[in-house]
Amino acid sequence: MTDPETTHLIEVEINGATHRRAVQARQLLVHFLRDEVVMKGTHIGCDTGNCGACTVLVDGEPTKSCMVLAVQADGTSLTTVEGLSEAGGELTELQQAFNDQHALQCGWCTPGMLIQAKALLERDPDPNVEDIRRALKGNLCRCTGYVNIVRAIQQAAGQEVDAGRPQEVTR
Amino acid sequence: MLPRSFKYARPVSLAEASQLLAAHPGARPLAGGQSLLNVMKLRAAEVEALIDISRLEELRFVEITGNGDLEVGAGMRYRELAEHAVVVEHQPLVAEVAGGLVDVQVRTRGTLGGNLCYADPTSNFPPLLVALDATVRVSGIDGPREVPAEDFFVGPFRCDLASGDVVRSVVFPRQAADAGVGYQSLQLARDSWALARASAWVQGNTTIKTARVVLACIGPRPARQRAMEAALVGTAGGEADIAAAVACELQDVDAVGDSHASAEYRTEMARVYAARALRQALVQMTQGDR
């Protein structure tokens, strides 16, 4: 029987590179990324699972890294915002679309928005407005009000960007 | 926020998980963690050790049993349930409810078993499980046992589990062609919190032979409305029958008001949504449309 321990050795692949660390059981994945691996791209917003700023891909699935323990990520493959494009290099189409559509202002929600949008487009390359808005339900933005973010995702999907008012979303 | 220090283990079998949980009385099972970890961050739960059951293959299955029931492993995540062809075919409402929980990120990790064990009185699944007469299969150190969903939810954040117990699966009885189920929630927004929920199950043909009506979000646990059920049996389930039924005295209900709605409004809406759930169920019952 494996007795419970407070410290665990974990091995995690982050954006293609393998990291091995001893972690405390209590350490959240977002703190592991920011403070142990020192990748500050993943943001801490609310720390209660509401805002989605800390969203990363765990084995391809969008996950709020403040609601996962680092030790739970053992053996998984993570993608963070740093994994989208090389620092100083060419932006991905999605990142460029966020830039073109002014889909960020303060930038705090942007890492989570980008990762969530990437996950959406990988599952559904041609989402409609409601699909996009519903996919962003777990990602809060307090500056732009989502309209430009939705447009950026439309642009990244190769769609015509809604120039007018946002479509009404059914409840 | 960091949770208080605790220990962690990832057992490789359900039996080992039960042994660990029984051997460490302060230990709790960790499934999706989408509620428990937040509760621990808020220091609202005292947890000495987390026993991680999220990777146990024994909890991750969907199958049709020998008598046609649908058995769903407790470790199945919401998104998996929403998209699973067998669940969609046999219990489409279970898939629909799973696909409308919270948000994408929570749906990729949250599990059916975790949802039930958290026993939040506003949670989506409990009233549906009670309406469908589902059975919760529990694995404990003294062997397996079965608990009807109606008895499983004891009160707010309390369910019928003892130390060493792990929910293994949920069994949804086979839906007969002459049965129908409905589920309706008054939500603040799509995939959001609900002010009131109602689920209904009816069986019969030209008249209702059996009915179950369950209300949630307006009491400590999913509340069977036996007076409503009795009023429905023997009727054709017309609009007047539905109106008479949902006007019956409520049972096991104790709504609390908050900034979203008063207790009176929630209670009144529970009746309205019970009527809607009944209409949905009755369409299926009379048309065999599922």
Side-chain angles (χ1 to χ4, degrees):
Chain A
M1 196 160 74
T2 325
D3 271 325
E5 302 283 352
T6 48
T7 307
H8 293 261
L9 189 66
I10 66 167
E11 183 173 310
V12 190
E13 189 184 296
I14 306 172
N15 304 326
T18 301
H19 298 258
R20 286 183 199 84
R21 292 279 197 293
V23 298
Q24 296 291 302
R26 73 197 294 214
Q27 184 166 52
L28 303 172
L29 179 58
V30 67
H31 293 137
F32 173 77
L33 291 171
R34 290 178 55 87
D35 302 337
E36 300 291 332
V37 187
V38 197
M39 295 174 76
K40 303 278 188 182
T42 302
H43 288 172
I44 301 173
C46 66
D47 200 1
T48 55
N50 289 293
C51 82
C54 65
T55 301
V56 300
L57 299 183
V58 179
D59 290 333
E61 298 277 17
T63 301
K64 292 175 187 168
S65 58
C66 80
M67 287 204 289
V68 182
L69 302 172
V71 64
Q72 287 180 283
D74 181 30
T76 66
S77 172
L78 309 183
T79 303
T80 69
V81 72
E82 290 93 339
L84 297 185
S85 60
E86 294 282 323
E90 194 178 336
L91 298 178
T92 63
E93 284 183 15
L94 181 64
Q95 288 171 310
Q96 187 61 50
F98 268 63
N99 189 329
D100 293 345
Q101 297 294 332
H102 302 281
L104 61 151
Q105 189 169 316
C106 87
W108 200 258
C109 71
T110 311
M113 289 288 180
L114 285 167
I115 293 291
Q116 185 65 11
K118 175 181 164 69
L120 168 68
L121 293 175
E122 279 173 4
R123 286 176 69 94
D124 181 0
D126 191 23
N128 64 29
V129 171
E130 186 166 347
D131 295 334
I132 296 171
R133 286 182 166 264
R134 204 171 169 212
L136 298 179
K137 197 254 180 181
N139 293 73
L140 302 185
C141 167
R142 287 295 173 253
C143 305
T144 71
Y146 307 100
V147 172
N148 290 356
I149 296 170
V150 172
R151 288 175 180 163
I153 295 171
Q154 288 179 316
Q155 178 182 321
Q159 299 171 355
E160 193 175 340
V161 173
D162 283 340
R165 292 159 60 86
Q167 291 178 23
E168 192 168 326
V169 174
T170 55
R171 289 168 77 89
Chain B
M1 273 179 296
L2 272 177
R4 243 189 273 279
S5 185
F6 58 84
K7 295 177 178 179
Y8 170 96
R10 194 188 304 138
V12 294
S13 70
L14 195 51
E16 191 191 353
S18 287
Q19 285 167 15
L20 285 168
L21 287 163
H24 301 85
R28 298 269 185 97
L30 174 65
Q34 302 299 285
S35 299
L36 179 57
L37 292 180
N38 282 331
V39 168
M40 289 172 65
K41 282 191 266 179
L42 293 170
R43 317 238 165 157
E46 288 295 326
V47 176
E48 285 167 32
L50 285 178
I51 309 303
D52 188 348
I53 58 171
S54 64
R55 298 190 193 188
L56 292 180
E57 286 301 317
E58 289 162 273
L59 302 178
R60 299 186 38 71
F61 66 95
V62 169
E63 63 186 35
I64 301 299
T65 65
N67 53 359
D69 297 343
L70 172 70
E71 184 168 11
V72 178
M76 293 299 289
R77 301 182 183 119
Y78 303 141
R79 181 135 102 179
E80 293 170 334
L81 291 178
E83 296 175 354
H84 200 289
V86 175
V87 180
V88 171
E89 182 191 342
H90 290 264
Q91 292 288 358
L93 263 185
V94 172
E96 189 184 317
V97 167
L101 268 149
V102 195
D103 58 42
V104 174
Q105 292 98 319
V106 169
R107 292 198 288 272
T108 61
R109 291 197 76 86
T111 66
L112 175 63
N115 182 290
L116 305 185
C117 294
Y118 191 50
D120 183 330
T122 68
S123 186
N124 304 49
F125 277 121
L128 181 61
L129 263 66
V130 176
L132 288 170
D133 197 24
T135 298
V136 181
R137 286 198 168 152
V138 178
S139 167
I141 41 173
D142 299 325
R145 65 191 174 93
E146 300 196 342
V147 186
E150 189 180 354
D151 300 331
F152 182 77
F153 304 103
V154 176
F157 306 102
R158 285 171 56 224
C159 56
D160 181 17
L161 289 178
S163 182
D165 282 349
V166 176
V167 171
R168 183 181 177 279
S169 66
V170 177
V171 180
F172 297 93
R174 185 178 71 86
Q175 287 298 289
D178 64 349
V181 59
Y183 182 92
Q184 297 286 330
S185 300
L186 172 56
Q187 291 179 299
L188 296 172
R190 185 150 187 194
D191 305 346
S192 189
W193 292 293
L195 301 177
R197 296 186 197 282
S199 189
W201 183 89
V202 289
Q203 180 266 322
N205 36 54
T206 52
T207 59
I208 298 171
K209 288 185 187 140
T210 318
R212 280 190 292 274
V213 181
V214 187
L215 304 182
C217 300
I218 57 161
R221 62 197 194 107
R224 275 283 294 272
Q225 300 302 315
R226 288 194 161 73
M228 288 190 192
E229 296 168 6
L232 288 161
V233 171
T235 74
E239 274 304 311
D241 302 320
I242 293 172
V246 302
C248 287
E249 188 175 350
L250 298 178
Q251 288 153 311
D252 209 7
V253 157
D254 182 18
V256 177
D258 64 9
S259 55
H260 296 300
S262 66
E264 293 73 19
Y265 182 76
R266 284 169 186 262
T267 307
E268 195 53 34
M269 286 304 105
R271 293 184 192 273
V272 171
Y273 279 74
R276 293 182 185 184
L278 276 165
R279 286 186 202 111
Q280 183 184 1
L282 282 157
V283 167
Q284 276 179 17
M285 184 189 93
T286 51
Q287 299 179 353
D289 168 27
R290 221 172 14 259

